[in-house]
Amino acid sequence: MSIAQDEIDFKADLTLQRLQPQLQEVWQTSQIDDVKIHEFESRLNEHWRPLFGLLFQLYSSRYDFFYHIEQVLLTAARGWAERPEDLCALDRHRINEPNWFQSERISGGALYVDLFGENLSKLREQVSYFKNLGLTYLHLMPLFAVRPGNNDGGYAISTYRSVDPRLGTIDDLRLLAADLREAGISLVLDFVFNHTSDDHEWAKLAQSGNREYQEYYYIFPDREKPEQYERTLREIFPTVRRGNFTWHDGMQQWVWTSFNSFQWDLNYTNPAVFRAMLEEMFFIANTGIDILRLDAVAFIWKQMGTNCENLPEAHTLIQAFNRLARIATPGLLFKSEAIVHPDDVVKYISEHECQISYNPTLMALLWESLATRNVSLLVQTLRHRYKLPKNTAWVNYLRCHDDIGWTFDDADAQAIGINAYDHRKFLNDFYTGQFPGSFARGVPFQENHETGDMRISGTMASLAGLEQAIEEENEEKKELALRRMLLLHGVSLSIGGIPLLYLGEEWGMLNDYDFVKDPAKAGDSRWIHRPKMQWQFLEELDDHIKAGNGSIRSTIFRSTQKLIALRKSLPALAGQDMELIATANEHILGYVRLYEGNRLIVLANFSDEAQVIEGNKLRTAGLGRFFQNVIDDKTYATSEQLVLAPYQILWLNRV
Ligand code: GLC
Ligand code: GLC
């Protein structure tokens, strides 16, 4: 039976009234001033009813619901009380400018602290490098303390309260955050909230037989329940272990582990878990984080008889976290990491859930277009999938630390006569270099021989043909690989949203085959595209500038840097408004970007041959007769046909 909104609001108000005295206690012990208290209370008034409604949906059937609500509120109050003054100042700013992340001036990068800078204090010396490259957003891959041995690249966290000692300390993190803020760079960290490592304190207590903590996870005495669940679950890491459950010898019980066997899924049907993770979230945010990347959002709620991905309660949960962030850390944004079907990806994106989200469909389809030299599936998909709700944005990326999965919609493919199953097989063949004529040097990830499912690992440069070209010492192929990379950057930087570089891309870093030498990494091919930064590239860059010539590396770097700078100079690239242009050429992607009366036209040729588009198309889309490509300053008249060189991308301004 559903309860009327009015009834829930009444309960919400009464609950808050009852909790007021405890709130006063927090204020007294924390000794914050009246202004700060007032700010919290006015935000609480604004968000309390919706928050209460969300938690009521999830947890009202619990006998101890009131206790947990109380704890959640007090956790939020403490989160705000402990928030450092400089972050509160930023909050005040961002409350008035909630769309700051939609600016054309924003440009992101992601990296592993150890692979890029060794540790956090060394990384502080590289802030000028990020500035030089034009970055205003930096995602550091998980840097918290992890279990010994395999830790899934930092995603098996033993405590959210300390940094991996090899990388530094929480204070180093705070110092870096402050330096970055000073340099105008927002800091992004993961909120790995679907699972903890098997050596997290909660997991250890569970292992010691503590029932309260066993309820933090999904633990089963025998195979009965796991087998019932298993009927409708998919396998995320089938080469690691079959199924989704792991036997724990010490407990003599089965544990739910969607990913690696040492990553224990948290049980969010237990409100104590929600409250505990909320406290961790505030702790992380208060070290100076602007954006939290919500890891593996699809998996956070399970229900028997479903695939336990993207369930409605997963959204309710994230919305509850979001309301609490609005109350206690209001400048904080959420970024969703949902690498799932496009219909599901978009459901996490809203100003009340995740304001920004990875765009895995665009990423996969850009690579698809390079392989097929045809943009039909990309266009078919963008046509009805690019638009987002207001006050949100895509994060557009080309490569990241994870694999590429071909997550387009089968019906989108069908609509243009493509068989999805065969097409995915083709793409896997192409990107592993099996397909005749392929330029790519990727390797398989998590091949499932039963389902035929497979994903691809490899760096951007190796997938785009640079590795092959270098090996064959073929200058022409090098040039084509370079053009492919710049084509993809040119789209990601202009199509609308936050462009995100996976650092190393700016140098065309190749696959690192040595990962197999490390037993903790050998079983996971994603390490092939997590190479160590080679700083000598930067030194060579200086030499070349002095000598006036350029290697392929320095060309890649300079061109990427230039595109980023150009993006930041073009007001039309703010926001998310994008209209496709019917180019009448299946090799050319075309769109108009619009923002507050500014317009920019983008034409991108995905074929390795020159392609033509009628000037008239440009005239009607761009409302002008002469255009200048801001990338090379060349001017075009719409009275003539436009010719795009192989893999050329044009950013056209009306002149
Ligand atoms: C996310 C991460 C991935 C990790 C997984 C489990 O998908 O991006 O690297 O393996 O979550 O934490
Ligand atoms: C993610 C995705 C999966 C991805 C994996 C990390 O959450 O769902 O497709 O490959 O975790 O590799």
Side-chain angles (χ1 to χ4, degrees), residues 616-628:
N616 206 23
K617 302 257 176 216
L618 187 59
R619 189 180 55 77
T620 50
L623 309 178
R625 287 193 284 134
F626 295 94
F627 290 86
Q628 187 182 39

Side-chain angles (χ1 to χ4, degrees), residues 66-216:
F66 182 78
Y67 168 76
H68 290 290
I69 277 274
E70 170 192 284
Q71 293 307 310
V72 163
L73 175 63
L74 300 182
T75 302
R78 277 184 232 113
W80 174 244
E82 284 158 19
R83 195 155 169 82
E85 196 38 51
D86 50 346
L87 296 181
C88 298
L90 197 62
D91 289 333
R92 288 169 198 128
H93 226 79
R94 287 191 172 155
I95 289 174
N96 293 321
E97 202 199 351
N99 282 342
W100 63 274
F101 57 89
Q102 292 190 331
S103 163
E104 74 282 8
R105 304 201 55 80
I106 192 161
S107 191
L111 60 83
Y112 285 92
V113 175
D114 56 341
L115 298 174
F116 196 84
E118 247 177 87
N119 57 42
L120 286 170
S121 36
K122 285 253 173 69
L123 203 62
R124 286 175 67 199
E125 293 163 20
Q126 271 129 29
V127 173
S128 59
Y129 174 82
F130 306 131
K131 267 187 97 161
N132 248 321
L133 188 53
L135 302 187
T136 62
Y137 159 130
L138 191 68
H139 172 208
L140 304 182
M141 297 300 296
L143 43 71
F144 294 101
V146 284
R147 71 195 294 283
N150 187 353
N151 57 48
D152 190 23
Y155 284 97
I157 295 177
S158 334
T159 167
Y160 303 88
R161 299 298 173 114
S162 52
V163 167
D164 181 335
R166 288 165 291 194
L167 305 178
T169 63
I170 287 287
D171 282 329
D172 294 331
L173 177 61
R174 290 197 180 104
L175 290 171
L176 174 65
D179 284 4
L180 289 170
R181 202 168 323 121
E182 178 79 30
I185 300 175
S186 304
L187 180 54
V188 187
L189 279 198
D190 278 82
F191 182 42
V192 184
F193 71 136
N194 175 69
H195 45 261
T196 71
S197 163
D198 59 357
D199 73 346
H200 188 282
E201 191 194 346
W202 305 335
K204 286 203 280 204
L205 285 163
Q207 286 156 29
S208 73
N210 183 316
R211 260 176 87 172
E212 190 181 342
Y213 285 92
Q214 291 193 343
E215 286 184 5
Y216 270 47

Side-chain angles (χ1 to χ4, degrees), residues 152 155 195 237 259 263 293 295-296 337 401-402 526:
D152 190 23
Y155 284 97
H195 45 261
F237 288 167
F259 296 91
Q263 288 163 304
R293 171 194 184 274
D295 182 58
E337 190 249 349
H401 69 290
D402 280 333
R526 289 175 297 173

Side-chain angles (χ1 to χ4, degrees), residues 112 115 141 150-155 236-237 240 259-260 262-263 293 295 337 399-404 443-446 455-459 502 511-512 515 521-531:
Y112 285 92
L115 298 174
M141 297 300 296
N150 187 353
N151 57 48
D152 190 23
Y155 284 97
I236 306 301
F237 288 167
V240 163
F259 296 91
N260 289 285
F262 48 79
Q263 288 163 304
R293 171 194 184 274
D295 182 58
E337 190 249 349
R399 288 300 294 115
C400 69
H401 69 290
D402 280 333
D403 47 288
I404 303 178
V443 300
F445 179 65
Q446 299 298 330
R455 283 112 79 187
I456 296 291
S457 291
T459 65
Y502 179 51
N511 285 347
D512 172 14
F515 76 96
K521 296 178 176 172
D524 188 334
S525 74
R526 289 175 297 173
W527 286 102
I528 207 167
H529 54 247
R530 299 169 181 174

